Amino acid sequence: AQARARGDEQKVREYVFRGARIGAIATGALVCVIAATPASIIPFVYPATPTDDFAAEGARTLRLLALAQGAFAMLAIASTILASIGSERSAAALTLLALLLSVGACAALVPRAPFGEAQLLVSATAVGAALTIALVLGGILVKSAAGAFVPWRTAIRVAGAAAVTIAVGARIPAMGRMIAPLVSAGLALGYLGILAITREIDRSDFHGVVSALRRRVSR
């Protein structure tokens, strides 16, 4: 916002580029960990889960919701950028569109699905699709207004790393409450390792995040 107020468009592009890229990487880490081991996460958060079958059925829905939450997180970043550079109406319209698409898709599709897990899966799919559509539009708006958003190479690498991590996690059986956090941490490290191998992240990213945290703490 300060860079836009000064008329420094180059700085605006740099800030948006850097922030959206780091946001995509962080979002990918959260999404892939949840989507990779949903059957372990549900009993960990809700230890009173009635049966293993109950957790297994919920896991399928949680995996879809994790992907939808990733789209929602990036949509929030896009809306924040638009509001910061003076496009508040576009940000509000984008948020309203996401809401209307989600409500409309659920209203049209959920009642047609059989009661139970099928409705949960359809609902998660409908919301995820609606948020993805809104995210694509949000990316176009941010790119047009600020000149940058998540780079295509970053988007491809993050998606690829998340897909590999989820595929690996899907082969791991449900873990107990003591082991689940360790498995999740290992998957997160694996995800970051893939990004490091593909040269999406390096030491400069680590130092940048540490510096930002130190500045926040010093305030």
Side-chain angles (χ1 to χ4, degrees):
Q2 294 176 353
R4 172 54 65 89
R6 294 194 304 267
D8 192 343
E9 298 301 325
Q10 179 60 32
K11 277 295 182 182
V12 171
R13 286 192 293 271
E14 290 179 5
Y15 288 142
V16 171
F17 177 91
R18 188 184 311 160
R21 175 176 167 272
I22 295 299
I25 293 172
T27 297
L30 294 174
V31 168
C32 71
V33 168
I34 296 174
T37 58
S40 298
I41 291 177
I42 291 177
F44 179 82
V45 178
Y46 300 100
T49 301
T51 64
D52 292 338
D53 291 339
F54 184 89
E57 291 178 359
R60 289 185 280 268
T61 301
L62 181 57
R63 179 173 285 118
L64 292 175
L65 285 176
L67 298 175
Q69 185 64 30
F72 176 75
M74 293 307 301
L75 179 62
I77 291 176
S79 297
T80 301
I81 292 172
L82 290 172
S84 299
I85 60 178
S87 299
E88 295 90 347
R89 292 184 179 180
S90 295
L94 183 63
T95 303
L96 179 60
L97 174 64
L99 175 62
L100 293 177
L101 287 175
S102 297
V103 173
C106 287
L109 300 176
V110 173
R112 300 181 180 181
F115 180 78
E117 183 188 10
Q119 284 190 331
L120 295 177
L121 291 171
V122 170
S123 177
T125 302
V127 171
L131 291 173
T132 300
I133 292 172
L135 173 59
V136 171
L137 179 58
I140 294 173
L141 291 175
V142 172
K143 181 73 173 181
S144 176
F149 194 48
V150 180
W152 282 109
R153 289 183 179 180
T154 297
I156 293 173
R157 289 169 179 168
V158 166
V164 171
T165 304
I166 293 172
V168 171
R171 294 180 175 275
I172 299 176
M175 300 290 163
R177 299 193 74 200
M178 298 296 294
I179 304 298
L182 298 177
V183 173
S184 295
L187 290 170
L189 290 176
Y191 163 82
L192 294 176
I194 295 173
L195 293 181
I197 292 173
T198 57
R199 298 184 179 181
E200 178 56 43
I201 58 175
D202 52 28
R203 292 183 179 179
S204 64
D205 293 312
F206 174 77
H207 292 312
V209 172
V210 172
S211 297
L213 292 175
R214 285 177 177 175
R215 287 196 298 269
R216 181 174 293 274
V217 170
S218 64
R219 292 177 183 177

